[in-house]
């Protein structure tokens, strides 16, 4: 397949693209497009014969915002079914980071600037294997609450942090 350059106004976003990125990730992508435009030659947009994007919708959006006049593309002549498959597979996250090896590429701050999401820095549970939560009595809980000045309050949502990727999200507290 050959990379060609097309005027940016002749490349069209895929209206049926099921993938989006949040504002933080988009800002990182935009910064990357501006600071390292050569990367787009190594990873051009993928478009069909009608110049509709099947791979690279968010990069295209960032290129438009960055003021690009031309964009590198690979034009594919695939049946609709293959295009739909590519849209999903191109956006699927199959891998995970080895954070120890990743740090050989730079500091956490630099890698975050490049768009890498690290798990929460303070997410390091350190429970003793001999700790028995069932041995805690209601009296122990009340004493601890008094010592820490905690008042009874039930949150409307519960914060959940994925132990694999560190992504935070909230779920409705059904005990409310």
């Amino acid at each position: 397949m050959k990379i060609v350059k097309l005027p940016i106004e002749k490349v069209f976003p895929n209206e049926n693209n099921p993938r989006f990125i949040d504002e933080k990730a988009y800002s990182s992508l935009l910064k990357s497009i501006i600071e390292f435009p050569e990367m787009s030659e190594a990873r051009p947009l993928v478009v069909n014969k009608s110049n509709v994007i099947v791979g690279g919708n968010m990069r295209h959006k960032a290129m438009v915002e960055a003021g690009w006049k031309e964009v590198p593309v690979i034009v594919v002549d695939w049946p609709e079914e293959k295009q739909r498959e590519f849209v999903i597979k191109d956006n699927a996250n199959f891998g995970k980071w080895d954070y120890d090896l990743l740090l050989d590429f730079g500091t956490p701050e630099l890698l975050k600037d490049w768009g890498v999401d690290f798990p929460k820095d303070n997410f390091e549970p350190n429970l003793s294997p001999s700790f028995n939560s069932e041995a805690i009595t209601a009296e122990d809980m009340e004493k601890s609450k008094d010592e820490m000045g905690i008042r009874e309050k039930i949150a409307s949502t519960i914060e959940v942090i994925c132990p694999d990727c560190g992504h935070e999200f909230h779920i409705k507290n059904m005990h409310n």
Side-chain angles (χ1 to χ4, degrees), residues 3 12 47 51 54 56 61 67 70 73 82 89 97 105 109-111 117-120 123-124 134 158 167 171 175:
I3 298 173
F12 308 104
V47 300
N51 292 342
V54 292
K61 179 180 176 184
E70 289 186 323
V73 301
K82 285 282 185 195
K89 287 184 174 181
W97 293 113
F105 287 83
E109 293 75 23
L110 177 64
L111 294 167
D117 283 327
F118 281 85
K120 288 287 182 204
F123 184 73
E124 293 184 22
E134 293 175 19
I158 298 171
H167 178 74
I171 59 173
H175 300 286

Side-chain angles (χ1 to χ4, degrees), residues 50-95:
S50 301
N51 292 342
V52 173
I53 300 168
V54 292
N57 280 281
M58 295 298 108
R59 285 180 282 140
H60 176 263
K61 179 180 176 184
M63 290 168 174
V64 168
E65 188 171 334
W68 287 30
K69 303 296 181 213
E70 289 186 323
V71 292
V73 301
I74 293 177
V75 181
V76 296
D77 187 15
W78 294 333
E80 181 69 28
E81 181 180 310
K82 285 282 185 195
Q83 291 180 51
R84 292 169 56 82
E85 181 179 348
F86 185 83
V87 165
I88 300 304
K89 287 184 174 181
D90 184 53
N91 285 297
N93 295 322
F94 294 112

Side-chain angles (χ1 to χ4, degrees), residues 4-49:
V4 297
K5 290 214 175 188
L6 292 177
I8 199 161
E9 68 273 3
K10 295 203 182 219
V11 176
F12 308 104
N14 184 341
E15 299 297 326
N16 296 315
N17 181 31
R19 180 80 166 175
F20 65 92
I21 58 178
D22 64 24
E23 195 173 313
K24 178 182 166 194
Y26 178 74
S27 293
S28 181
L29 174 62
L30 178 60
K31 183 177 180 183
S32 176
I33 293 289
I34 292 168
E35 293 178 354
F36 191 10
E38 303 86 356
M39 195 167 70
S40 68
E41 295 289 333
R43 193 150 186 257
L45 304 177
V46 178
V47 300
N48 64 19
K49 290 282 190 179

Side-chain angles (χ1 to χ4, degrees), residues 157-170:
T157 62
I158 298 171
E159 180 181 36
V160 178
I161 302 172
C162 175
D164 290 330
C165 68
H167 178 74
E168 294 181 36
F169 57 97
H170 290 83

